[in-house]
Amino acid sequence: MGKLRQTVLILGEGPTEFFYFKSLCDEFKRLTIKPDYPKHTNMKELEAKIEEGIAVGFSHIFCIIDMDTKDAEPERSQYQRLKSKYAKPINKPKKGIFCQVDFFETHRCTELFFLYYFRYTARPYDNQDLLLKDLNLCVDYKKSIDFFSKVKGLHGYFLRNKGSLDTAIVNANRSVEERQNDGREYTYSELGRLMARLKEDF
């Protein structure tokens, strides 16, 4: 039987999300970050981790999604199916389970939200390398586990280099608003909305 826990489980698709959200644990005391041993996660593995979190009894599961890998089939359809499956809360009163599963997307990838710590952009990126190049104009950054470990917390590292989480949230929310207004499907991050949820509820 699951035991209801008023904590949020954050599931990332790879090591970037793991190390970033781990670095936010001092700001959000009730975060549980999975996987413990980060590796790239496909949709089938992500679904298994969601089901595991539900069974354990988490009240909220937040999935961090990089949309650049969802631009083509079969990942696009697999992702849409996963979102549809968890569109409504999981409610199993006899097992003490009530869980809301939410998905927070960034296009191209989570590094856009890191760039938003420093400045806003809505330019399209044909590939991840171009985004990382822009990020490196603001702060030295390498997409590697060695680098993530060396800086001893990505969030603190960005702050030490004159970045701001509040700025990132404002910029991310602006990108989502613009996406809704002009219909673009690129260069947006819903992680500002996620941070607001964490600040309000956790």
Side-chain angles (χ1 to χ4, degrees), residues 69-133:
T69 59
K70 315 297 181 296
D71 285 339
E73 299 294 352
E75 286 262 331
R76 182 196 297 268
S77 294
Q78 291 170 352
Y79 174 55
Q80 291 304 324
R81 183 193 65 78
L82 197 65
K83 282 178 73 176
S84 296
K85 179 177 179 179
Y86 297 108
K88 294 181 180 178
I90 308 301
N91 190 9
K92 299 178 181 178
K94 290 183 179 178
K95 294 186 177 181
I97 289 174
F98 183 88
C99 183
Q100 177 71 52
V101 181
D102 290 308
F103 297 83
F104 297 89
E105 304 170 355
T106 299
H107 193 285
R108 301 196 64 89
C109 54
T110 300
E111 277 79 9
L112 178 66
F113 189 70
F114 300 165
L115 178 58
Y116 282 165
Y117 266 73
F118 302 94
R119 68 176 180 84
Y120 183 74
T121 185
R123 65 168 287 197
Y125 292 99
D126 292 334
N127 58 62
Q128 200 176 110
D129 287 343
L130 293 174
L131 172 56
L132 295 180
K133 185 177 179 181

Side-chain angles (χ1 to χ4, degrees), residues 16-70:
T16 303
E17 293 77 21
F18 172 83
F19 281 98
Y20 175 64
F21 281 95
K22 203 74 174 171
S23 74
L24 287 173
C25 284
D26 286 341
E27 296 231 2
F28 304 109
K29 302 291 187 184
R30 302 175 73 187
L31 289 185
T32 298
I33 315 297
K34 294 288 182 181
D36 293 329
Y37 300 98
K39 64 185 180 68
H40 183 73
T41 305
N42 61 35
M43 289 296 99
K44 188 175 180 180
E45 290 168 338
L46 183 60
E47 184 174 359
K49 293 179 190 302
I50 291 171
E51 289 298 320
E52 181 183 313
I54 292 169
V56 168
F58 283 97
S59 58
H60 297 79
I61 297 176
F62 294 160
C63 302
I64 313 305
I65 304 295
D66 285 348
M67 293 303 289
D68 60 351
T69 59
K70 315 297 181 296

Side-chain angles (χ1 to χ4, degrees), residues 158-172:
F158 297 146
L159 296 185
R160 292 193 300 275
N161 284 275
K162 300 182 180 177
S164 163
L165 178 58
D166 288 339
T167 298
I169 292 169
V170 168
N171 286 334

